[in-house]
């Protein structure tokens, strides 16, 4: 449970090798040496992330198996994480996601389905399980890593963008369903973040870092916010973009 100053004592990151997820765990764990569970698919990557989070000042750090596409196991992963931290989960971060390769995936194969399954179906399943857990505790925050790519979907990356639009809508609804329960949902909408997901791509304007996303997320949790943009200027940029005529919008490059 959060202490009197709002510092968290237990954190679960689903997609525990995500660079943004690790940065959030590092940031949230520091003040109270919180217990952290990093859950994901690749043991070696999780162990490396665990060392990183420990070095940043976390208390106990555990790793666990989680696959976004194995939806039948999600309830169990969250229950086991609660056992690992010895009680309630203060923050559950849904940090997993895949970008796909729009040009390749438009041509066929399973890439588009993998994007939709991971980024949308996986979020629906684990997000509902997280919501049930936090509602039963009567406190806690589930953090959704959405994206400005979902705020207005672009021709250049509409497979990924639509998966983020779907998960963002789901997260808004889940947040509304939690209102009054003591638990809450925070939607984080970053722009371009320099991580392994975007390695080798040309940077978009207002590019930022995992640590900046983590700082903003920690502040938003403490303030009880429901939606943030990182950097915050993107809120206003997309308020304008949302109203551009489609004939212009479809020409926005990738
Ligand atoms: N980077 C950006 O510019 C940006 C911008 C806005 C939003 N976001 C979102 O922020 C989140 C984190 O992204 P990031 O930049 O930190 O990227 P990242 O470092 O590539 O992390 C994504 C993680 O998702 C995990 N993952 C993928 N498929 C999975 C599955 N089926 N089950 C479990 N884990 C799975 C990957 O782990 P393994 O492959 O090792 O299993 C990977 O570590 C994503 O949802 C992303 O869409 C990123």
């Amino acid at each position: 449970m959060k202490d009197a100053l709002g510092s968290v004592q237990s954190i679960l990151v689903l997609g525990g090798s995500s660079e943004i997820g690790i940065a959030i765990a590092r940031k949230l764990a520091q003040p109270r040496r919180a217990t952290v569970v990093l859950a994901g698919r690749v043991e070696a990557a999780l162990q490396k992330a665990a060392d990183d989070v420990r070095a940043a000042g976390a208390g106990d750090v555990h790793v666990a198996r989680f696959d976004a596409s194995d939806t039948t196991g999600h309830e169990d992963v969250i229950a086991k994480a609660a056992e690992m931290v010895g009680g309630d989960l203060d923050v559950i971060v849904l940090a997993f996601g895949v970008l796909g390769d729009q040009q390749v995936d438009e041509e066929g194969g399973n890439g588009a389905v993998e994007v939709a399954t991971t980024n949308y179906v996986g979020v629906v399943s684990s997000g509902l399980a997280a919501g049930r857990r936090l509602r039963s505790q009567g406190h806690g925050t589930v953090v959704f890593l959405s994206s400005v790519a979902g705020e207005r979907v672009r021709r250049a990356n509409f497979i990924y963008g639509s998966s983020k639009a779907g998960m963002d809508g789901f997260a808004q609804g889940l947040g509304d369903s939690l209102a009054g329960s003591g638990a809450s949902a925070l939607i984080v909408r970053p722009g371009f973040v320099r991580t392994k997901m975007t390695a080798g791509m040309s940077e978009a304007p207002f590019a930022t870092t995992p640590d900046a996303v983590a700082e903003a997320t920690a502040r938003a949790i403490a303030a009880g916010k429901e939606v943030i943009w990182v950097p915050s200027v993107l809120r206003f940029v997309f308020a304008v973009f949302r109203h551009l005529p489609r004939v212009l919008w479809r020409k926005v490059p990738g």
Side-chain angles (χ1 to χ4, degrees):
M1 185 169 275
K2 286 183 201 166
D3 67 13
L5 299 174
S7 299
V8 303
Q9 301 186 63
S10 53
I11 304 154
L12 166 62
V13 183
L14 299 175
S17 56
S18 141
E19 289 184 43
I20 297 175
I22 295 167
I24 293 173
R26 277 199 311 254
K27 177 72 193 164
L28 291 177
Q30 273 163 19
R32 287 295 309 267
R33 295 184 53 76
T35 304
V36 178
V37 181
L38 301 173
R41 296 185 296 186
V42 182
E43 172 79 21
L46 294 172
Q47 292 295 355
K48 189 165 171 287
D51 290 343
D52 189 357
V53 175
R54 263 184 219 110
D60 287 340
V61 183
H62 307 270
V63 303
R65 168 108 196 131
F66 168 79
D67 186 335
S69 58
D70 177 16
T71 54
T72 55
H74 290 177
E75 197 94 45
D76 224 35
V77 173
I78 290 173
K80 282 192 182 130
E83 278 173 30
M84 284 172 166
V85 304
D88 289 356
L89 292 162
D90 290 338
V91 176
I92 302 176
V93 186
L94 273 61
F96 55 88
V98 287
L99 187 57
D101 183 328
Q102 174 79 29
Q103 277 187 359
V104 172
D105 297 343
E106 274 186 46
E107 294 305 317
N110 200 47
V113 172
E114 190 198 343
V115 171
T117 305
T118 307
N119 297 358
Y120 182 68
V121 177
V123 166
V124 168
S125 169
S126 60
L128 284 170
R132 284 191 290 273
R133 174 82 208 179
L134 299 189
R135 190 182 284 111
S136 74
Q137 294 177 180
H139 73 96
T141 307
V142 53
V143 177
F144 291 91
L145 282 166
S146 179
S147 170
V148 294
E151 239 189 309
R152 186 162 186 194
V153 176
R154 280 182 304 142
R155 191 271 167 260
N157 72 345
F158 67 80
I159 300 171
Y160 174 80
S162 64
S163 73
K164 287 299 189 184
M167 69 87 83
D168 193 293
F170 167 82
Q172 292 175 49
L174 185 80
D176 290 339
S177 81
L178 291 174
S181 70
S184 59
L186 167 65
I187 301 169
V188 179
R189 294 179 183 153
F192 186 104
V193 188
R194 297 178 197 108
T195 67
K196 63 183 183 292
M197 181 177 275
T198 52
M201 295 170 65
S202 340
E203 289 195 0
F206 309 110
T208 189
T209 63
D211 284 339
V213 178
E215 287 279 344
T217 302
R219 276 199 307 273
I221 292 173
K225 289 196 175 169
E226 294 182 310
V227 188
I228 58 166
W229 288 254
V230 190
S232 55
V233 66
L234 288 174
R235 174 180 193 165
F236 305 104
V237 172
F238 272 80
V240 173
F241 280 176
R242 204 174 303 130
H243 298 289
L244 279 184
R246 275 183 70 186
V247 68
L248 293 180
W249 185 245
R250 68 171 61 108
K251 290 184 180 147
V252 172

